Amino acid sequence: MKNDARFNLEAAIASWRSFVLSKRTISPDDADELESHLRDEVDDLVAQGMDHKAAFDTAMERVGTRDVIESAYDRVYWKKLRAEGGLLDEFQRRCAMLKNYVKVALRNLRRHLGFTFINVVGLALGLACYLLIMQFVQHERSYDRHHERAERIFRVTTDYASDGRHWAATSPPVGPAMAEALPEIEEVARFLPITGDVVLRREDRQFEHSGGVYADSSVFDVFSVRLLHGDAETALAAPHTIVLSQRLARTIFGDADPVGETLTSYVWESVTVTGVMEDLPTTTHLPFDFMVSMATFNERWPGAAQLRRWERFYTYVLLHSPSAREPVEQKLSAFAASFFAGAAQERDPSAPGLSLQPLLDIHLQSHLEGEYRPNGDIRYVYIFGAIALFVLLIACVNFINLSTARAAERSREVGVRKALGADRGRLVGQFLGESVLLALMAVLLALVVVLAGLPLFNRLAGTSFSMSAFFTPTWLGSFLGIGLLTGLASGMYPALALSAFRPTEALRGYGAKAGRTAALRKGLVTFQFAISVFLIIATAVIYRQFQYIHEKPLGFDRDQVVVVKLNLGDILDTVRANPETIKRELKQHPAIHQASLAYTYPGACCGIEAVRLDGSADAEAVKVRMASAVDHDYLATLGISLAAGRDFSRAAPADTTAWLINRAAARHLGADEPLGSLLRWRGFAAPIVGIMEDFHFASLHNAVEPLVVLLRPSAGDLLLVRVRAEEAEAALQHIENQLARILPGQAFRYAFLNDELRLHYAAEDQLRDIAAVFSALAILIACLGLFGLAAFTAQQRTKEIGIRKVLGAPVSGIALLLAGDFLKLVAVAFIISAPVAYVVMNAWLDAFAYHAELSTLIFVIAGGLALMVALLTVSYHAARAALADPVSSLRYE
Amino acid sequence: MSATSKSMTGASAQAIVLSILGRRESYGYEIIKEVDRLSDGAIEWAAGSLYPLLHRMKADGLVESFWVEKEGERRRRYYRITEKGRKALAAEKKEWLVVHNILAQLWGLQPSLT
């Protein structure tokens, strides 16, 4: 029995015991027991002839390895606690530990105020952007969800396979016929928008209002439209009944219950108020302020309800179950074939098909012809969502970068903590505690930023969110949740990386992983700037396209044309009775160049009609856009030029009716010499007298379509007036005076053509502003992070810089050295994101039939801008480090 | 290095401990030695798993423990079966006999239990 002299059994057991005791789940009593066991084992083994060291090692092995003991004891720990009534103690201990984490975290944050500030502000900005945009996304996605039966409601649409046109509406009899033929349909409701303003009179007061619809009485059974007054069963059953929104009712009647009151109107003579409905939420694709019973329409225009090829009715069906959609769709083609079989073929030779569209998809995914109003766009929701995520990511990256950058600095702290017995879990807790605390501060600040930025955001996104929208439990919850998640997610990496340091290496200075974290940091900075550069390029391209739209010659004079809407019945009759007189009187004013009475104007033009060239070889009808009523002064007022032939002329007596067509129509009609040919439309024929240059009567999203213009001098309901730019005010005054002379006391409604055209690009307008603001924010947040990183690098390299200076390096060289590191990253970021931006933005531009070209200049400017911003950001620290006195920097330590 | 499968050992451990303590009070090391002897070295328990088991049984009220310091021996923590433990042992016994009977019949052994 030879014992190794260097092995001290007692010391080994003592050290083993202290290790066992370091586990909190093992009490001193338990340790005593284990020790007594270990000693029994050792004694036996020694008795069998082992030396002390071998006996100790074998006994250790039999007792079980560290991990086995730990987990086995852990498993019974809680049970024991409960049996011994120690739960409260344990809880208090954990609370104390948490308190300690917070205390240490706060101390750490206070000691590095710059770091804390950059992190909190960056994260708060990122969070605020994210929340604002997500609120918008949420809003867009919430359309029509307030209808209880939304899942079962479908819109019926009309599909012309022959020319690929898909209409959002159907003809009037489709709905009722479907309800009769298809048993899966529970109920049908139809809407017909009332075009233009309606004047409602009550006693001697009158109220002009747009946004009315004719509606079936079943609307209350299909949609969740709640009546505050009146009976849903009967409200829209009889002719001459009207249901007002609460808002409108209050305007007209004040707070009194208006049910039973009578209003008079030019169109329906008199209507009785039979109900007041709750104002519709803004999140509806079909907003209206009042409903007139469909029976009123049927009485006023008898026979219209039977037109099978008049796609003006928005038809909604309520199915028995959402799954009934498929069987209904299968039967629809047969239904459509038989339904349209007998319909008049004249307008359009092809028979349309019908299809169903889920109500909830309409707002974001439906872009059919003749939508009730322009819908939102799911792509923009995705784009905005992506921007929100990007900005948040950039903020998180700051967090990770700044924390790992401090790793080297904190490695000593980690080493000391570990040497003092802190295990990894405790360190992870400490670091996560810090980042969660930071994140919570950021959440609070973000809330302030959101509230402060809300008005600006509302202006940008065209929304009207109120502060209260953010103070719902859901939003506050998700607010906190996202903040915590961000804190945890971005704190996780630094926590794991730092806590993994081995104490020996950590105490020596740099951690073993310093090189790897530096590489990660560089990667993340590159990622941030790649996103930023992408956003800059995207914004620039959107701006350029917008400028292009507004500067592209449209083929007509869009400036200084005023559109006067003559929806008021009495005025319209007077003007139509003698259009030449009113135009002459208008033109007498020196500020007015031209005036024209028309039915349409560019930007709000035109319906599709089927026409046929007389005498063409195959006398087949072709579909063209048609401005069905303009007068002799139309071209002159709008400044549209002629390619061939002549304008309508008062001198030519044959021009009681005549056509002008555009170049696209001339090509489309297929005649060699269309001038002088007769063009037939609905059994009516007139000669083509001129060919117009193509002008953009629709938005630049679409190529110029074939257009025909019919001379009907007194059928228009709009006055187009070209005014002298400098005297627009006087001109408007003159127009008002003239109209007031015809019918005193009427309001005068007008719009500048340019503003009307702008409405086509509202979505792009919105995208432009949002992209601009948020890419600026993204850059700002990225730069905040860069600023912090530059500060740390400069600090880390203090000594190196001192030595370089002593050896004679110039200040500029040193500054360049420091800044160069970062600029390289920005350059790499540019190389990564430029091709991506090129592809993505090209795809976006392709949505426009007419678009600006992607010039390299945009890329150069975007790259230069990112580089310059980065340079400015790091130059402060680079310069400061370079200018520092080497004596003081080298004396350090 | 037990040849007996782990799940088997796990399931039987409590029954074995109760049976040993049912005869006389004992301490951990002795229990392990006893099991080693009875199984001819086939079952070799580790202290790291026996003690948590004992503690759990104690928390469940099946056994109780007390420290004993005998002259000339080291201080040891003894375990003693409780009344509740005896009931549990009786129940365990019944279950294991059922299992034993089934296996004995299946393997063609003579049921030699009386």
Side-chain angles (χ1 to χ4, degrees), chain A residues 151-190:
Chain A
E151 301 277 328
R152 293 197 281 135
I153 303 174
F154 295 83
R155 184 167 73 174
V156 186
T157 59
T158 313
D159 198 352
Y160 282 89
S162 57
D163 59 358
R165 292 195 187 280
H166 196 154
W167 294 85
T170 72
S171 58
V174 166
M178 274 177 70
E180 207 160 292
L182 304 169
E184 290 89 350
I185 295 175
E186 189 174 311
E187 193 61 83
V188 171
R190 300 169 304 163

Side-chain angles (χ1 to χ4, degrees), chain A residues 353-502:
Chain A
L354 297 170
S355 42
L356 293 186
Q357 201 175 31
L359 175 70
L360 294 179
D361 286 356
I362 293 176
H363 175 66
L364 284 178
Q365 310 199 13
S366 174
H367 302 282
L368 305 181
E369 298 255 356
E371 293 279 359
Y372 184 76
R373 57 153 52 177
N375 284 324
D377 191 331
I378 189 86
R379 286 176 310 163
Y380 284 161
V381 170
Y382 288 146
I383 292 176
F384 289 159
I387 292 179
L389 214 61
F390 280 160
V391 175
L392 190 60
L393 268 181
I394 289 181
C396 288
V397 164
N398 275 354
F399 204 104
I400 296 176
N401 269 351
L402 292 177
S403 305
T404 51
R406 287 183 60 211
E409 192 181 302
R410 291 190 75 171
S411 64
R412 274 204 191 87
E413 176 193 339
V414 172
V416 170
R417 278 172 185 276
K418 281 206 154 178
L420 289 178
D423 60 20
R424 193 163 177 199
R426 213 165 289 184
L427 281 173
V428 169
Q430 176 66 48
F431 284 117
L432 277 186
E434 266 173 47
S435 57
V436 166
L437 202 68
L438 270 181
L440 285 179
M441 286 156 74
V443 164
L444 282 183
L445 188 60
L447 206 60
V448 176
V449 173
V450 164
L451 295 187
L454 199 56
L456 173 73
F457 182 81
N458 275 335
R459 245 203 344 270
L460 277 181
T463 49
S464 51
F465 298 135
S466 63
M467 313 249 176
S468 59
F470 289 93
F471 282 97
T472 64
T474 339
W475 271 100
L476 283 181
S478 55
F479 215 84
L480 209 65
I482 292 168
L484 282 180
L485 208 68
T486 312
L488 281 178
S490 42
M492 193 58 85
Y493 178 79
L496 291 180
L498 285 177
S499 64
F501 283 172
R502 298 239 184 94

Side-chain angles (χ1 to χ4, degrees), chain B residues 58-89:
Chain B
K58 185 180 158 197
D60 288 343
L62 302 177
V63 299
E64 52 195 22
S65 70
F66 51 97
W67 285 95
V68 172
E69 225 161 329
K70 285 186 196 155
E71 195 62 30
E73 278 183 44
R74 64 172 49 94
R75 193 166 163 260
R76 293 194 176 100
R77 188 195 256 174
Y78 274 72
Y79 292 85
R80 181 197 297 140
I81 194 163
T82 62
E83 204 42 51
K84 194 176 167 195
R86 288 202 184 278
K87 279 185 194 141
L89 176 58

Side-chain angles (χ1 to χ4, degrees), chain A residues 549-707:
Chain A
I549 287 172
H550 286 288
E551 285 171 4
K552 179 178 168 58
L554 296 179
F556 61 91
D557 186 2
R558 72 178 114 182
D559 297 317
Q560 316 310 333
V561 174
V562 180
V563 180
V564 183
K565 297 176 180 172
L566 303 174
N567 287 317
L568 319 177
D570 300 336
I571 282 201
L572 189 55
D573 289 348
T574 317
V575 172
R576 278 182 176 169
N578 210 339
E580 292 305 319
T581 318
I582 175 86
K583 283 192 278 182
R584 203 165 43 239
E585 275 162 10
L586 285 177
K587 278 195 279 190
Q588 270 169 4
H589 195 276
I592 295 178
H593 287 298
Q594 274 294 353
S596 164
L597 183 68
Y599 196 62
T600 54
Y601 56 93
C605 172
C606 301
I608 292 181
E609 300 288 342
V611 295
R612 192 151 42 86
L613 256 193
D614 226 20
S616 66
D618 45 348
E620 204 170 286
V622 293
K623 286 197 217 165
V624 294
R625 297 271 171 185
M626 180 181 294
S628 59
V630 304
D631 65 5
H632 297 94
D633 305 308
Y634 192 69
L635 293 200
T637 305
L638 287 171
I640 298 166
S641 41
L642 277 174
R646 60 173 177 82
D647 193 0
F648 300 131
S649 163
R650 290 188 183 83
D655 281 7
T656 45
T657 59
W659 297 102
L660 282 173
I661 65 176
N662 68 356
R663 275 180 182 274
R667 276 194 305 274
H668 192 58
L669 286 167
D672 304 329
E673 187 42 73
L675 278 182
S677 317
L678 280 182
L679 192 66
R680 285 194 179 277
W681 172 56
R682 293 190 183 180
F684 152 95
I688 297 172
V689 296
I691 299 178
M692 303 173 288
E693 291 288 355
D694 284 344
F695 63 98
H696 295 276
F697 57 87
S699 82
L700 292 175
H701 291 101
N702 309 312
V704 174
E705 292 181 89
L707 173 76

